[in-house]
């Protein structure tokens, strides 16, 4: 919780807290106190369990499977193979930028805390406030995108076993809400989350190996290498293949999104300045290795590309399993069950991420009614007592209702999940470059000149995705297939502006970790 004189936050001042270091039993808590916060949650996560949460959420190979229809229609094999390599390179830049910042300033608030510490004093609060809102909004969209994908998979399995069923949007929404509720329930037990995260990691890897081996082994025929590495498919209606390829990058980019997940566990893992960067880069490494080889395995196993794209189940990967197993429905559903189990682990991690963002942002009074969301349940060791977790879950439930209005909602939600976190990264990175990289005291993880390159790559890619991912994925544009993500950006920005002038500029936390002159080295 933020240390502040206000009675409602139930904390002391930073100065008085500095005199009470002897109450802390470890150096991590002392470092956190130097930032102006108390140690409210136990450091129960190991680097392996934090990696489990990070990878379970990012889950690159599963993300490709989840929205395979976008990749098949917007570039086909060329998009999936080379788009994955492109996103791996970009994500190294993003991971490098995040790792440097969390190593120097390990705090569960992540982007909002970094922005406040790095921005010019006059704009520090506004920069921090804006970064916090975009980060939290991104986590809500991430939860919604995963729940919608798993909901599609559940309904698709039922449709495969009941061919006469005509899938309706309400069926997907019901499955969506079920997945959201179950993930909410599992996240209500904070002390069990490290175990759950580790199980989710192993589930993902087990599912990866089973599908990687079984599908090509059972496929009756296999595509030649020329199909896998050189075939470009454009079924989007865009006359230019380049635009089709760019819009299709949403598929592979989704598999490398939300890389700040581990950052927000910084107050629940020992030595976060070292362990969080390991978890971030571990997520990238495992994500690329699994996704690239899994994509090749599936592409070699495709027998009817047109049939996969036009499947009645609405789940292309399920149709691919069905074809590869010789139209064995039971076998295809069993393989899809591994995909669903992996997706459910991803959903649990999404909720963990969203609840930490809501809690850490609320303790700085960034969200209306912040005093309701900031407390930690003493027994469950998570932000539940005042319903921070419930608030995020409720907003996810509301966002899922958009699918009742338009099929394009899934693409808009996935796009928001990708771009909103990027914007939240760009704010503190921009502040860092304006202030000067030499004016931050580096943590154990510092990349020097390569870190500057990572910063530039992150900012350039953020601008690219903000513009290009706002394009509709198919042409001609209709109401059902319009990309409404720009409207989502506008609504979020409107909320930020209104809340800032009504409440935030007076109520949002206005202190920085150190109060030196501009140019003074800051950090731990």
């Amino acid at each position: 919780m933020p240390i502040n004189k206000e009675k409602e936050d139930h904390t002391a001042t930073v100065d008085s807290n500095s005199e009470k270091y002897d109450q802390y039993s470890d150096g991590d808590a002392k470092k956190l106190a130097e930032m102006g916060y108390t140690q409210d949650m136990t450091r129960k996560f190991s680097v392996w369990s934090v990696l489990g949460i990070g990878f379970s959420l990012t889950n690159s190979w599963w993300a490709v499977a989840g929205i395979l229809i976008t990749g098949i229609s917007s570039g086909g094999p060329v998009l999936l193979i080379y788009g994955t390599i492109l996103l791996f390179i970009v994500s190294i830049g993003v991971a490098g930028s995040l790792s440097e910042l969390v190593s120097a300033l390990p705090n569960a608030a992540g982007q909002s805390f970094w922005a406040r510490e790095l921005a010019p004093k006059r704009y520090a609060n506004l920069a921090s406030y804006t970064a916090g809102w975009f980060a939290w909004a991104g986590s809500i969209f991430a939860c919604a995108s995963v729940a919608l994908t798993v909901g599609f998979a559940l309904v698709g399995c039922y449709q495969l076993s009941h061919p006469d069923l005509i899938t309706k949007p309400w069926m997907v929404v019901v499955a969506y809400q079920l997945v959201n509720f179950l993930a909410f329930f599992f996240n209500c037990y904070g002390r069990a989350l490290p175990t759950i995260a580790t199980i989710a990691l192993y589930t993902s890897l087990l599912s990866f190996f089973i599908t990687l081996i079984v599908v090509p082994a059972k496929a009756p025929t296999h595509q030649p290498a020329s199909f896998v590495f050189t075939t470009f498919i454009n079924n989007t209606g865009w006359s230019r293949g380049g635009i089709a390829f760019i819009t299709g990058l949403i598929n592979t980019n989704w598999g490398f999104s939300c890389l700040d997940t581990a950052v927000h566990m910084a107050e629940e893992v020992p030595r976060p300045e070292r362990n969080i960067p390991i978890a971030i880069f571990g997520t990238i490494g495992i994500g690329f290795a699994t996704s690239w080889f899994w994509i090749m395995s599936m592409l070699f196993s495709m027998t009817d590309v047109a049939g996969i794209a036009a499947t009645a189940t609405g789940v292309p990967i399920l149709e691919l399993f069905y074809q590869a197993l010789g139209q064995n429905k039971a076998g295809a559903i069993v393989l899809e069950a591994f995909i669903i189990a992996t997706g459910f682990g991803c959903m649990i991690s999404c909720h963990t991420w969203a609840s930490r963002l809501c809690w850490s942002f609320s303790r700085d009074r960034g969200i209306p009614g912040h005093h309701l969301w900031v407390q930690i349940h003493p027994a469950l060791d998570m932000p539940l007592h005042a319903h921070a977790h419930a608030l995020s879950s409720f907003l996810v439930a509301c966002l899922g209702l958009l699918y009742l209005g338009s099929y394009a909602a899934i693409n808009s939600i996935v796009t928001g999940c990708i771009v909103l976190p990027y914007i939240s990264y760009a704010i503190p990175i921009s502040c860092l470059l304006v202030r000067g990289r030499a004016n931050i005291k580096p943590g154990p993880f510092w990349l020097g000149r390569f870190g500057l390159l990572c910063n530039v790559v992150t900012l350039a890619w953020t601008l690219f995705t903000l513009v290009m991912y706002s394009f509709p994925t198919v042409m001609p544009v209709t109401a059902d297939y319009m990309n409404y993500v720009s409207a989502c950006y506008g609504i979020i920005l409107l909320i930020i502006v209104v809340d800032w002038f009504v409440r935030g500029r007076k109520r949002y936390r206005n202190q920085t970790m150190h109060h030196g002159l501009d140019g003074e080295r800051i950090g731990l």
Side-chain angles (χ1 to χ4, degrees):
M1 297 175 67
I3 298 181
N4 193 286
K5 290 183 178 180
E6 293 188 27
K7 184 177 179 180
E8 65 183 87
D9 291 309
H10 308 287
T11 56
T13 63
V14 176
D15 291 337
S16 64
N17 185 74
S18 299
E19 299 172 358
K20 298 180 180 179
Y21 278 168
D22 57 345
Q23 69 178 305
Y24 298 113
S25 59
D26 61 82
D28 291 328
K30 291 183 178 181
K31 292 175 183 178
L32 187 60
E34 291 174 352
M35 301 180 192
Y37 298 89
T38 57
Q39 181 70 59
D40 292 321
M41 289 192 282
T42 59
R43 296 184 181 269
K44 56 188 176 293
F45 284 86
S46 66
V47 64
W48 186 248
S49 56
V50 172
L51 173 60
I53 286 182
F55 179 71
S56 296
L57 197 159
T58 302
N59 229 324
S60 304
W61 76 269
W62 177 83
V64 173
I67 55 171
L68 188 62
I69 184 62
T70 303
I72 290 178
S73 300
S74 302
V78 166
L79 178 280
L80 294 172
I81 290 291
Y82 302 107
T84 299
I85 296 174
L86 172 62
L87 264 300
F88 172 62
I89 295 171
V90 169
S91 296
I92 289 176
V94 177
S97 297
L98 296 178
S99 295
E100 282 190 329
L101 288 170
V102 75
S103 183
L105 302 166
N107 188 286
Q111 300 93 301
S112 63
F113 180 78
W114 303 335
R116 186 170 64 246
E117 295 301 323
L118 298 172
K121 186 176 180 179
R122 181 178 179 182
Y123 304 105
N125 259 18
L126 180 59
S128 173
Y129 181 82
T130 305
W133 267 106
F134 276 112
W136 186 42
S139 71
I140 300 300
F141 273 74
C143 290
S145 67
V146 175
L148 199 53
T149 303
V150 177
F152 258 109
L154 289 169
V155 174
C157 287
Y158 188 82
Q159 198 282 333
L160 183 63
S161 60
H162 298 78
D164 295 333
L165 175 71
I166 299 177
T167 302
K168 301 292 185 180
W170 69 263
M171 300 176 186
V172 177
V173 172
V174 169
Y176 171 105
Q177 301 297 356
L178 176 63
V179 171
N180 185 47
F181 174 78
L182 290 175
F184 163 79
F185 176 78
F186 273 95
N187 264 274
C188 287
Y189 299 93
R191 298 187 187 280
L193 282 177
T195 301
I196 294 173
T198 303
I199 292 173
L201 175 60
Y202 286 128
T203 299
S204 177
L205 295 177
L206 177 64
S207 302
F208 162 75
F209 282 113
I210 289 175
T211 53
L212 179 77
I213 295 171
V214 171
V215 173
K218 298 294 293 183
T221 60
H222 295 91
Q223 296 286 356
S226 59
F227 170 81
V228 174
F229 294 103
T230 64
T231 300
F232 184 84
I233 298 173
N234 181 7
N235 292 328
T236 64
W238 283 101
S239 59
R240 296 185 178 183
I243 299 296
F245 181 89
I246 290 172
T247 57
L249 282 174
I250 292 173
N251 185 307
T252 52
N253 204 157
W254 193 42
F256 289 94
S257 62
C258 309
L259 294 178
D260 62 305
T261 305
V263 167
H264 304 287
M265 310 301 293
E267 296 172 32
E268 299 175 71
V269 61
R271 303 180 70 190
E273 65 276 5
R274 296 180 182 273
N275 289 330
I276 298 299
I278 292 173
I280 294 174
F281 274 94
T283 296
I284 295 293
I286 297 174
F288 176 71
T290 54
S291 62
W292 203 66
F293 286 105
W294 191 85
I295 287 169
M296 282 198 296
S297 176
M298 297 304 109
L299 289 176
F300 275 115
S301 305
M302 286 185 178
T303 57
D304 180 7
V305 178
I308 291 173
T311 175
T313 65
V315 186
I317 191 61
L318 176 60
E319 179 66 23
L320 192 157
F321 292 159
Y322 179 59
Q323 292 180 10
L325 297 182
Q327 299 188 338
N328 184 324
K329 293 182 180 180
I333 291 174
V334 168
L335 289 182
E336 186 64 22
F338 284 102
I339 304 295
I340 292 171
T342 301
F344 187 66
C346 180
M347 187 64 185
I348 293 174
S349 295
C350 272
H351 271 274
T352 303
W353 177 41
S355 67
R356 268 51 176 185
L357 273 166
C358 180
W359 166 72
S360 61
F361 194 37
S362 293
R363 69 181 178 177
D364 286 334
R365 302 185 294 278
I367 300 175
H370 55 87
H371 58 285
L372 298 175
W373 326 121
V374 76
Q375 299 179 39
I376 302 297
H377 193 287
L380 300 180
D381 194 32
M382 68 164 298
L384 175 69
H385 179 66
H387 312 296
H389 176 40
L391 173 64
S392 295
S393 301
F394 172 75
L395 293 176
V396 173
C398 294
L399 194 56
L401 299 178
L402 292 177
Y403 186 70
L404 292 174
S406 172
Y407 177 83
I410 185 172
N411 192 65
S412 299
I413 289 173
V414 170
T415 303
C417 160
I418 296 169
V419 179
L420 290 172
Y422 280 153
I423 296 174
S424 73
Y425 309 159
I427 294 172
I429 291 172
S430 298
C431 294
L432 173 62
L433 295 183
V434 169
R435 188 180 186 107
R437 288 174 53 85
N439 292 321
I440 179 173
K441 182 180 178 181
F445 185 93
W446 191 251
L447 297 174
R449 291 183 178 179
F450 183 72
L452 175 60
L453 177 61
C454 290
N455 296 159
V456 173
V457 167
T458 304
L459 294 178
W461 189 253
T462 299
L463 181 60
F464 175 83
T465 57
L466 180 62
V467 175
M468 302 307 296
Y469 288 2
S470 298
F471 286 11
T473 56
V474 296
M475 293 291 286
V477 179
T478 63
D480 285 339
Y481 290 93
M482 179 62 185
N483 190 343
Y484 293 102
V485 73
S486 296
C488 295
Y489 299 152
I491 292 172
I492 294 169
L493 191 59
L494 178 63
I495 292 173
I496 292 173
V497 171
V498 171
D499 187 55
W500 173 256
F501 284 103
V502 171
R503 185 197 61 87
R505 61 177 176 170
K506 297 179 181 179
R507 304 290 297 149
Y508 189 61
R509 181 179 177 129
N510 60 6
Q511 67 183 56
T512 54
M513 190 172 69
H514 292 264
H515 299 282
L517 298 174
D518 284 349
E520 188 177 27
R521 293 169 69 83
I522 65 173
L524 298 179

